[in-house]
């Protein structure tokens, strides 16, 4: 394909992908440019500061109330005023220790149900609550696979028990906000990871493999409760992004300066696979599986660029191509999937490695699409607004000056125009169908009204039939005399 003389609009320095605190891990737009570790530390500090301020305010109000009560009631009335305040102190102490108890109770053996000597992790599955047991077949399969994996580990029984207890407790926290749910899950990940680091004596690979299986088991069971929860505006953001991408359908590969030639069959095949992978992300329930889809999509993009340029792709080539793929695919529930991965994925996957790098680029691509303007596409503001309103359409320079061998590209344009015409015809058919339905309803109502009017004007009267004797019509006729018996002489 022909490429412009200079790169236009789209460029992200690799340092901008890293955490803005300089820790070396990848940052995230959802975390204000911080990595998951720095974001949790800052979130916890902010939350702790807020709790301290609330406690200070409560102490001040308590002192003022005590002083006011002491001035108004002297002597015997004073002890009675201290009792309700002591209950307030008790509630304040419980609030301080709530977070610690939430985490530590998952690692404390239950005293209500003593473990059987001959029990195995698989037997514990039958004691799950009804709300957790009514899950799809995928959940049951994941549970069996998790149990089989834990059988090879010495602490497998304890890991399964704690994971099951945590998932059951999370089912009772649906009213919590998304940040609070994420904090609970991330705390559990962190504590379990620390325990596994001690058990495996610092073997990070084994710890990661166990944590991947823990994430798969837990998030498969919790998916319905924590994906796009009602307490967030994720669904609203999904609709806004989809509408934005549909409005940008006119953006061409030349405007984004994408170094990909789709006329090459191998390149076209990689582009189709990349689009398929980013769409398939929504069908996965586990954050790790969604990341795998993003990684596969990104590798197909790198292959397409390498095939086109006959050399290794650079980061400056990758981001505009990823933006182009997202615009072509318009993945369903894109923001919900990004937020789901951000909140509930194993944090080590997002902070480093190729999964974290590709996911960070996807977040940048979505942010770029949301803020896309004419300057990014080397268009004037007036031209950009005309394209967005549909009053102008981009020219296709490749089709105009394409050699005789580019019949495939021309055929693709013809099919796009045909699809556009079919869309218009479908809208007309739907309008006609709605009009026909409305006419049928009006006709039925009119017929019913006319029938009712006729029945009211000419009511049907039913008369019983008159009773009559047999041969009533022949009463006046001359009938022959009755037969008389006759005697004959012998």
């Amino acid at each position: 394909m022909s490429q412009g003389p200079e790169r236009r609009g789209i460029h992200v320095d690799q340092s901008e992908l890293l955490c803005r605190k300089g820790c070396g891990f990848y940052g995230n737009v959802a975390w204000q440019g911080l990595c998951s570790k720095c974001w949790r530390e800052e979130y916890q500090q902010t939350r702790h500061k807020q709790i301290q301020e609330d406690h200070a305010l409560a102490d001040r109000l308590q002192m003022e109330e005590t002083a006011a009560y002491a001035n108004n009631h002297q002597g015997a009335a004073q002890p009675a005023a201290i009792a309700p305040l002591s209950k307030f102190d008790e509630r304040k102490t419980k609030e301080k220790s709530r977070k610690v108890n939430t985490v530590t109770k998952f690692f404390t053996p239950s005293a209500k149900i003593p473990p059987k000597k001959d029990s195995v992790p698989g037997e514990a599955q039958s004691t799950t609550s009804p709300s957790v047991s009514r899950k799809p077949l995928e959940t049951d399969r994941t549970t069996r696979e998790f149990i089989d994996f834990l059988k090879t580990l010495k602490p497998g029984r304890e890991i399964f028990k704690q994971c099951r207890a945590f998932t059951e407790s999370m089912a009772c926290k649906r009213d919590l906000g998304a940040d609070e749910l994420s904090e609970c899950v991330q705390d559990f990940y962190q504590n379990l990871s620390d325990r596994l680091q001690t058990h495996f004596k610092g073997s990070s690979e084994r710890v990661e493999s166990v944590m991947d299986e823990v994430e798969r088991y837990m998030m498969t069971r919790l998916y319905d409760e924590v994906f796009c929860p009602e307490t967030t505006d994720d669904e609203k953001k999904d609709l806004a992004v989809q509408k934005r991408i549909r409005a940008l359908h006119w953006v061409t590969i030349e405007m984004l300066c994408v170094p990909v030639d789709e006329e090459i069959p191998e390149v076209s095949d990689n582009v189709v696979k990349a689009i398929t992978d980013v769409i398939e992300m929504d069908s996965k329930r586990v954050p790790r599986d969604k990341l795998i889809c993003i990684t596969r999509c990104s590798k197909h993009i790198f292959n397409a660029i390498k095939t086109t340029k006959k050399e290794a792709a650079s980061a400056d080539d990758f981001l505009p191509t990823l933006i182009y793929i997202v615009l072509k695919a318009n993945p369903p529930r894109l923001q919900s999937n990004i937020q789901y991965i951000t909140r509930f994925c194993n944090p080590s996957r997002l902070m480093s490695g190729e999964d974290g790098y590709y996911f960070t680029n996807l977040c940048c691509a979505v942010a770029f699409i949301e803020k896309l303007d004419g300057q990014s596409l080397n268009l004037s503001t007036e031209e950009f607004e005309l394209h967005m309103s549909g009053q102008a359409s981009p020219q296709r320079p490749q089709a105009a000056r394409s050699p005789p061998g580019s019949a495939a590209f021309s055929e693709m344009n013809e099919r796009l125009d045909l699809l556009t015409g079919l869309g218009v015809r479908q809208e007309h058919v739907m309008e006609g169908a709605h009009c026909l339905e409305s006419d049928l309803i009006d006709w039925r109502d009119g017929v019913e009204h006319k029938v009712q009017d006729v029945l009211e004007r000419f009511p049907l009267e039913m008369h019983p039939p008159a009773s009559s004797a047999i041969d009533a019509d022949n009463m006046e006729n001359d009938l022959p005399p009755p037969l008389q018996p006759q005697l004959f002489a012998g």
Side-chain angles (χ1 to χ4, degrees):
M1 71 170 259
S2 63
Q3 188 170 334
E6 60 180 357
R7 183 165 298 279
R8 297 162 288 180
I10 304 176
H11 174 73
V12 176
D13 192 271
Q14 292 303 295
S15 61
E16 299 179 11
L17 302 179
L18 301 178
C19 176
R20 60 182 175 85
K21 282 197 171 183
C23 64
F25 297 121
Y26 291 119
N28 193 313
V29 178
W31 294 327
Q32 302 176 5
L34 299 175
C35 67
S36 61
K37 183 175 180 294
C38 295
W39 168 255
R40 291 193 64 223
E41 291 176 354
E42 190 165 299
Y43 175 79
Q44 290 175 354
Q45 290 176 1
T46 304
R47 185 177 179 182
H48 182 67
K49 181 179 179 181
Q50 183 65 39
I51 292 176
Q52 287 182 334
E53 293 177 354
D54 293 342
H55 289 164
L57 177 61
D59 292 339
R60 182 170 61 83
L61 294 176
Q62 178 181 347
M63 294 176 62
E64 294 177 357
E65 183 180 356
T66 303
Y69 194 88
N71 293 334
N72 296 332
H73 301 79
Q74 300 294 332
Q78 185 173 359
I82 301 177
L85 297 178
S86 63
K87 293 183 179 179
F88 182 84
D89 291 336
E90 183 179 355
R91 290 196 301 269
K92 182 176 67 175
T93 304
K94 289 181 179 180
E95 176 64 23
K96 290 180 179 179
S97 60
R98 180 181 63 83
K99 181 179 179 181
V100 177
N101 294 335
T102 301
V103 177
T104 56
K105 68 181 180 180
F106 299 131
F107 298 94
T108 304
S110 176
K112 296 181 180 180
I113 306 177
K116 299 180 181 179
K117 295 182 179 180
D118 56 346
S119 62
V120 295
E123 295 178 358
Q125 185 180 359
S126 61
T127 61
T128 57
S129 62
S131 61
V132 178
S133 60
R134 293 192 297 267
K135 293 293 181 181
L137 296 177
E138 181 181 355
T139 303
D140 298 333
R141 183 178 66 254
T142 303
T143 302
R144 291 193 298 269
E145 293 174 354
F146 186 54
I147 292 172
D148 294 338
F149 173 80
L150 293 178
K151 287 181 180 179
T152 61
L153 303 177
K154 184 177 180 180
R157 186 192 304 273
E158 185 67 18
I159 293 174
F160 179 81
K161 183 168 61 175
Q162 304 305 332
C163 292
R164 187 190 63 178
F166 179 80
T167 54
E168 291 181 352
S169 66
M170 286 290 290
C172 303
K173 300 179 180 179
R174 299 175 182 176
D175 296 335
L176 292 181
D179 291 337
E180 286 77 10
L181 293 174
S182 174
E183 187 72 12
C184 292
V185 173
Q186 295 298 333
D187 283 341
F188 183 84
Y189 284 161
Q190 185 64 45
N191 284 276
L192 181 58
S193 178
D194 293 342
R195 288 165 59 94
L196 292 176
Q197 288 282 358
T198 303
H199 176 77
F200 291 119
K201 295 180 173 53
S203 178
S204 58
E205 293 183 359
R206 298 195 64 184
V207 173
E208 285 297 323
S209 64
V210 175
M211 292 303 300
D212 287 342
E213 295 299 325
V214 168
E215 177 190 304
R216 179 177 302 278
Y217 167 75
M218 288 174 45
M219 300 318 300
T220 301
R221 294 167 64 89
L222 296 175
Y223 179 81
D224 295 333
E225 284 77 18
V226 300
F227 182 85
C228 192
E230 297 180 356
T231 57
T232 66
D233 58 349
D234 293 348
E235 185 175 359
K236 182 179 179 181
K237 292 180 180 179
D238 290 334
L239 297 176
V241 170
Q242 283 194 337
K243 182 178 179 181
R244 175 69 172 175
I245 293 177
R246 284 197 298 267
L248 294 170
H249 67 91
W250 50 268
V251 176
T252 64
I253 199 170
E254 294 81 18
M255 292 179 179
L256 295 171
C257 200
V258 176
V260 167
D261 186 359
E262 293 188 87
E263 294 185 20
I264 302 176
E266 184 179 354
V267 174
S268 178
D269 185 57
N270 277 292
V271 169
V272 172
K273 289 180 179 179
I275 293 174
T276 303
D277 286 331
V278 75
I279 293 176
E280 186 182 359
M281 174 180 61
D282 184 61
S283 64
K284 305 299 182 183
R285 299 171 68 92
V286 183
R288 168 78 170 131
D289 293 341
K290 293 180 182 291
L291 280 179
I292 291 175
C293 291
I294 298 174
T295 300
R296 286 204 309 262
C297 169
S298 302
K299 290 184 177 180
H300 288 311
I301 290 175
F302 273 106
N303 290 336
I305 298 174
K306 183 178 179 181
T307 304
T308 301
K309 298 181 64 176
K310 308 298 182 182
E311 61 182 12
S314 64
D316 289 338
D317 296 328
F318 171 68
L319 183 58
T321 310
L322 178 61
I323 294 172
Y324 174 71
I325 293 298
V326 173
L327 289 176
K328 293 279 286 185
N330 196 0
R333 301 192 294 184
L334 182 56
Q335 281 288 1
S336 291
N337 282 288
I338 290 177
Q339 293 297 331
Y340 177 68
I341 295 173
T342 300
R343 293 167 184 155
F344 302 107
C345 184
N346 186 357
S348 62
R349 291 289 179 188
L350 302 182
M351 295 193 304
S352 59
E354 62 178 8
D355 290 342
Y357 174 77
Y358 294 139
F359 179 70
T360 303
N361 275 275
L362 178 62
C363 295
C364 291
V366 175
F368 178 85
I369 290 173
E370 292 175 339
K371 300 177 181 179
L372 187 65
D373 56 9
Q375 183 179 1
S376 303
L377 303 174
N378 199 27
L379 297 174
S380 64
T381 304
E382 293 76 12
E383 290 176 330
F384 182 80
E385 294 299 332
L386 288 175
H387 284 91
M388 291 295 292
S389 62
Q391 299 179 19
S393 59
Q395 297 180 355
R396 304 182 185 273
Q398 281 190 331
R401 60 174 181 270
S402 58
S406 60
F409 190 81
S410 300
E411 183 180 358
M412 181 188 69
N413 293 331
E414 293 176 0
R415 292 184 178 181
L416 288 176
D417 295 337
L418 177 61
L419 288 175
T420 303
L422 290 176
V424 175
R425 292 176 59 186
Q426 182 184 12
E427 293 180 357
H428 292 164
V429 170
M430 293 302 297
E431 292 178 359
H434 290 315
C435 292
L436 178 60
E437 181 182 8
S438 177
D439 293 341
L440 288 175
I441 293 175
D442 295 339
W443 176 80
R444 183 191 62 184
D445 295 339
V447 171
E448 291 180 352
H449 179 73
K450 291 180 179 179
V451 170
Q452 188 65 29
D453 183 61
V454 170
L455 291 176
E456 291 177 356
R457 292 170 55 190
F458 305 100
L460 181 62
E461 297 180 1
M462 301 295 293
H463 299 285
S467 59
S468 60
I470 299 177
D471 295 336
D473 296 336
N474 299 323
M475 291 297 295
E476 298 179 356
N477 297 338
D478 296 334
L479 297 177
L483 297 176
Q484 299 293 329
Q486 297 179 3
L487 298 176
F488 294 93

